[in-house]
Amino acid sequence: MNHPLSLAHLTALDLPPPDLIRLAAQAGLDAVGLRLIRVTETSPGYPLMEDARLMRATKAALSETGLRVNDIEFVKIAPDTNVASLAPFLDAGAELGACEIITAPYDPDLTRLADRLGLLSEHAAARGLGVSLEFFPWTVVPDVLAAMTLVSKAGPEVAILVDSLHFDRSGSTAEQLKAIPASRLRLAHLCDAPVTPPYSLDDLLYTAREMRLPPGEGQIDLPAFIRALPPDIPLGLEIPMTATRSDPHKVLKKIVADTRALLAGLAVSVPNFGDDQNT
């Protein structure tokens, strides 16, 4: 098994894309995920589709480091979402060479949600991009089973993004994850956290956005989670912690070391992209 490692933007969201790319390269990673659309009013997004100068700087950083963009985010599919209006976002993803668009379910009408997701998939595919739906325990698509039901209705090319935190806190099981066809799983997010149910909405949101843990420092059954995934699926390290803001290089170095230790313990082969000379 061979899981390429990527740095999800939420891990160091205060860094603009060029700085995030260089941070990931110094940590020995081979890809990044970039947040081009703001998710909350208090968190940043980096709309490269509207900022030609930042787009040039981002592409220069990719060329300089040899890293690639694995995914761009974050499309909240809501009742008023206009898929056609996302064309500049999709064009930016294609220009960056991204593989996947990450979406989220925020429309209570599941039929309309599936239709819009399918339409977005068609628009993305025309640009060589895939679309993955990430489920969250606080949304209308709260777990693995609900996500699989929805993407099946959305179309054959729509995939599921499984995040280890949301997987655990939704009560989803490894058996359910193993039952998903590999073609529906093209990216996963990895982190650890305390396991102390039940969780309030505030608990779910705070941990998700502010206080996750490196692999091995919490109680999520990450070995079972990883073994249930396809053997070569990219793993995005999405581990926002307050400590990252003060010393992102030190924190990311530990996150990567902990992740590699976990995967080595599972006899998983992880490519080493020159971290010895870059750290």
Side-chain angles (χ1 to χ4, degrees):
M1 293 189 292
N2 185 359
H3 294 284
L5 298 180
S6 175
L7 177 60
H9 212 151
L10 186 60
T11 301
L13 194 53
D14 291 338
L15 296 181
D19 294 336
L20 185 85
I21 291 163
R22 293 187 177 96
L23 174 67
Q26 290 166 358
L29 302 177
D30 66 316
V32 294
L34 298 180
R35 180 165 292 188
L36 307 193
I37 298 176
R38 179 195 296 261
V39 173
T40 71
E41 292 301 318
T42 59
S43 63
Y46 301 92
L48 300 183
M49 53 281 190
E50 301 169 6
D51 190 333
R53 182 177 179 181
L54 187 56
M55 173 64 89
R56 287 194 299 269
T58 300
K59 291 169 68 176
L62 292 169
S63 178
E64 169 194 321
T65 61
L67 268 65
R68 67 177 184 273
V69 177
N70 193 70
D71 55 271
I72 59 171
E73 59 179 19
F74 188 98
V75 178
K76 284 186 172 183
I77 300 182
D80 60 350
T81 295
N82 181 340
V83 172
S85 71
L86 294 169
F89 168 78
L90 298 176
D91 290 341
E95 184 174 350
L96 291 165
C99 300
E100 207 72 17
I101 306 297
I102 299 176
T103 66
Y106 282 88
D107 187 344
D109 184 330
L110 295 180
T111 298
R112 182 172 58 199
L113 175 57
D115 290 344
R116 289 233 174 96
L117 191 59
L119 181 60
L120 178 60
S121 176
E122 293 174 7
H123 283 244
R127 297 165 170 84
L129 300 164
V131 168
S132 286
L133 178 78
E134 184 170 10
F135 66 84
F136 305 94
W138 59 85
T139 67
V140 293
V141 184
D143 53 32
V144 163
L145 292 180
M148 188 60 207
T149 298
L150 186 76
V151 301
S152 296
K153 295 177 180 178
E157 303 301 324
V158 183
I160 300 170
L161 191 165
V162 185
D163 182 300
S164 56
L165 177 69
H166 308 315
F167 174 82
D168 179 78
R169 297 198 168 187
S170 68
S172 299
T173 68
E175 289 70 26
Q176 293 167 350
L177 186 54
K178 288 177 185 176
I180 297 176
S183 62
R184 296 280 191 177
L185 293 168
R186 298 192 290 263
L187 172 65
H189 280 165
L190 189 68
C191 72
D192 211 338
V195 176
T196 56
Y199 307 102
S200 68
L201 177 59
D202 287 344
D203 292 334
L204 293 170
L205 293 174
Y206 177 70
T207 302
R209 296 171 178 172
E210 300 285 344
M211 197 51 67
R212 306 191 193 197
L213 296 174
E217 292 193 10
Q219 291 81 47
I220 296 176
D221 189 352
L222 294 180
F225 174 74
I226 293 169
R227 289 190 181 107
L229 293 168
D232 57 354
I233 189 173
L235 298 176
L237 305 181
E238 187 167 74
I239 310 174
M241 301 185 295
T242 54
T244 307
R245 299 188 182 104
S246 60
D247 194 342
H249 293 275
K250 180 179 179 180
V251 172
L252 185 58
K253 186 175 181 179
K254 174 174 171 45
I255 287 171
V256 172
D258 289 349
T259 301
R260 287 192 170 130
L262 170 66
L263 296 175
L266 297 173
V268 177
S269 173
V270 180
N272 186 322
F273 291 88
D275 57 315
D276 289 340
Q277 63 263 35
N278 288 326
T279 52

